Amino acid sequence: MIKLHDKYFKPFISAEQIDMAIDTLVEEISTDLGDEVPVFVGILNGSFMLTSDFVKKYPKPCEVTFIKLASYEGLKSSEDIQRLIGLTQDLTGRTVIILEDIIDTGKTLAEVHRIFKNEKVKTLKIATLFYKPEAYKKDFKLHYVGIEIPNKFIVGYGLDYDNLGRDLPEVYQIKETQHMTNLVLFGPPGAGKGTQAEFLKEKYHLVHISTGDVFRYNIKNETALGMLAKSYMDKGDLVPDQVTIDMLNAEVEKNADANGFIFDGFPRTDAQAKALDELMDSKDSAISAMIALEVDDEVLVQRLLKRGETSGRADDADESIIRNRITEYYKKTAILKDYYSAQDKYFGVDGVGSIEEITERLSAVIDNL
Ligand code: AMP
């Protein structure tokens, strides 16, 4: 990952891939042109790298020149008008190949056609290293295309973000999500996850998602999801993975601008952990850590029975349901310890003590991430 100005970018197209794409372009163009001596016209600034690498590989005699895109701001109040300048050479009767680093909307290409309209060239062909088909809004033919890319902002290999990044030999794509702290708060029922999450979300400006709370909210409002979840929850069993995963994805989507999340009660199975990694990956982010509150079983049972006296939760009222939830936790969920340990992201924290003491222990882990 790299940072240019205020933004983070991730590796996208390697120098080797670029090199191979240029080889193909050279091969196609030289085959089409035969012994004709073409004039390659690079569009500055972006295409300086492409033009240089391309002509070094071109196997036959050729000429090289550049034109430059210049902005004239303020001609019309809010419009930024771009003009190509610098075409001084007489190109009458010549075969001209435009070398573009990237074609997205096609605005520059319209400019190319405008300035070549009155040049009596023999042929005008367009070659571009990168092409964004989803962004392209013009009808001009693209004769040679190196690599098609999605409509995302890229830098490197001549392309810049506010003037930085042109020098990079490979191409990077902007990260969708700039920087997030995503915590999985873990621990058996009654370990104090909910209480600690309240403190941590304030302290680190995170969004707290408790899957248990979301299910309970749905049950209270008698939604279809609530009805479905209730039968499992009342027994202390886990709600099926796909139902839970879909619900979690929706909760994360609702908070697209978050600094990060505290996941509480999720993931609880291997499938959920994998789904969470995929979800984070789709946001160009990752789980930063799993922090587990470690509390002895008998302490848990006593805490939950006490909570049941006031919480009104059916699954807190009965000792055998409580024990089933704890057993469920160790049976299905404790394997997640291995999942996150394998990624060096597991942190166990002693969950016995005062609320403040435990918050401090958790903060020490987060501050060290
Ligand atoms: P909790 O409030 O986290 O103790 O969750 C209460 C109940 O909600 C659990 O016993 C499950 O029935 C259900 N539940 C909460 N989170 C999940 C999850 N990640 N996967 C499956 N079921 C869940």
Side-chain angles (χ1 to χ4, degrees):
M1 202 170 48
I2 55 162
K3 190 175 184 204
L4 301 175
H5 297 295
D6 55 330
K7 298 256 186 289
Y8 291 91
F9 295 83
K10 59 180 177 174
F12 181 43
I13 301 172
S14 69
E16 291 73 30
Q17 286 170 295
I18 294 171
D19 198 55
M20 277 159 53
I22 297 174
D23 281 342
T24 310
L25 288 175
V26 166
E27 171 70 28
E28 287 173 3
I29 296 172
S30 60
T31 307
D32 282 358
L33 299 189
D35 289 330
E36 187 127 23
V37 178
V39 184
F40 291 114
V41 180
I43 314 281
L44 293 175
N45 292 334
S47 79
F48 74 97
M49 277 226 192
L50 168 68
T51 307
S52 162
D53 285 346
F54 179 95
V55 298
K56 275 185 273 177
K57 288 174 186 277
Y58 199 75
K60 294 172 196 166
C62 61
E63 292 178 26
V64 192
T65 188
F66 288 95
I67 49 182
K68 184 177 167 71
L69 204 51
S71 296
Y72 297 97
E73 277 169 67
L75 285 182
K76 279 190 197 157
S77 55
S78 63
E79 215 173 320
D80 173 14
I81 294 177
Q82 303 233 310
R83 284 281 187 250
L84 281 165
I85 54 169
L87 185 62
T88 47
Q89 214 169 324
D90 179 15
L91 294 172
T92 308
R94 302 299 303 272
T95 291
V96 174
I97 311 285
I98 301 294
L99 292 179
E100 258 288 37
D101 45 338
I102 185 162
I103 291 184
D104 44 32
T105 62
K107 238 160 116 188
T108 310
L109 205 52
E111 226 343 71
V112 167
H113 281 89
R114 190 191 66 81
I115 67 164
F116 275 91
K117 207 165 68 195
N118 299 323
E119 302 289 319
K120 298 187 173 48
V121 299
K122 182 176 161 198
T123 325
L124 176 70
K125 287 190 169 177
I126 311 297
T128 183
L129 178 58
F130 301 118
Y131 170 48
K132 292 182 179 175
E134 292 156 42
Y136 192 55
K137 294 200 179 67
K138 307 279 186 203
D139 294 322
F140 306 114
K141 184 172 164 62
L142 308 179
H143 301 82
Y144 306 99
V145 172
I147 302 176
E148 287 193 5
I149 58 168
N151 193 9
K152 299 264 172 69
F153 189 80
I154 60 171
V155 291
Y157 201 74
L159 293 152
D160 72 309
Y161 167 55
D162 212 357
N163 293 318
L164 288 182
R166 292 192 197 277
D167 53 317
L168 300 165
E170 60 277 298
V171 166
Y172 293 78
Q173 189 180 68
I174 195 156
K175 281 186 78 210
E176 295 280 314
T177 309
Q178 286 294 305
H179 187 72
M180 284 175 131
T181 302
N182 299 306
L183 307 172
V184 173
L185 196 55
F186 207 56
K193 299 188 298 281
T195 309
Q196 293 301 330
E198 287 305 309
F199 289 105
L200 297 179
K201 82 172 189 196
E202 293 300 326
K203 184 163 177 190
Y204 296 97
H205 310 290
L206 305 174
V207 173
H208 173 210
I209 300 180
S210 152
T211 42
D213 285 351
V214 181
F215 281 134
R216 279 185 287 278
Y217 176 85
N218 278 276
I219 291 173
K220 199 167 138 218
N221 289 286
E222 299 184 347
T223 66
L225 175 66
M227 295 299 107
L228 179 63
K230 190 173 186 326
S231 54
Y232 297 94
M233 287 176 71
D234 281 352
K235 284 184 271 167
D237 291 339
L238 290 186
V239 178
D241 274 341
Q242 203 50 54
V243 175
T244 313
I245 290 167
D246 289 348
M247 180 192 82
L248 184 97
N249 286 0
E251 289 298 311
V252 168
E253 288 311 325
K254 276 188 210 162
N255 294 285
D257 297 333
N259 273 330
F261 294 91
I262 300 174
F263 297 105
D264 164 3
F266 189 97
R268 267 173 150 103
T269 65
D270 220 35
Q272 292 181 9
K274 291 198 176 97
L276 185 58
D277 274 353
E278 277 167 31
L279 177 67
M280 291 294 107
D281 200 49
S282 75
K283 308 224 150 291
D284 287 337
S285 195
I287 292 297
S288 320
M290 167 190 257
I291 309 181
L293 288 169
E294 293 165 348
V295 184
D296 186 75
D297 282 5
E298 292 315 308
V299 177
L300 293 173
V301 174
Q302 293 318 312
R303 277 191 193 175
L304 287 171
L305 282 171
K306 187 133 186 285
R307 183 169 82 182
E309 289 168 13
T310 52
S311 75
R313 279 179 57 168
D315 59 352
D316 282 349
D318 184 293
E319 186 170 332
S320 67
I321 294 179
I322 290 174
R323 289 198 186 274
N324 182 35
R325 284 163 64 202
I326 298 173
T327 312
E328 254 320 82
Y329 171 81
Y330 284 112
K331 202 168 71 196
K332 291 215 179 118
T333 333
I335 47 166
L336 293 172
K337 181 174 175 177
D338 301 333
Y339 186 88
Y340 288 102
S341 296
Q343 301 179 26
D344 278 336
K345 289 179 180 172
Y346 180 90
F347 300 87
V349 168
D350 179 4
V352 182
S354 72
I355 292 176
E356 297 76 24
E357 275 166 353
I358 300 167
T359 310
E360 256 174 54
R361 289 177 205 150
L362 292 169
S363 302
V365 173
I366 299 168
D367 294 340
N368 255 321
L369 287 176

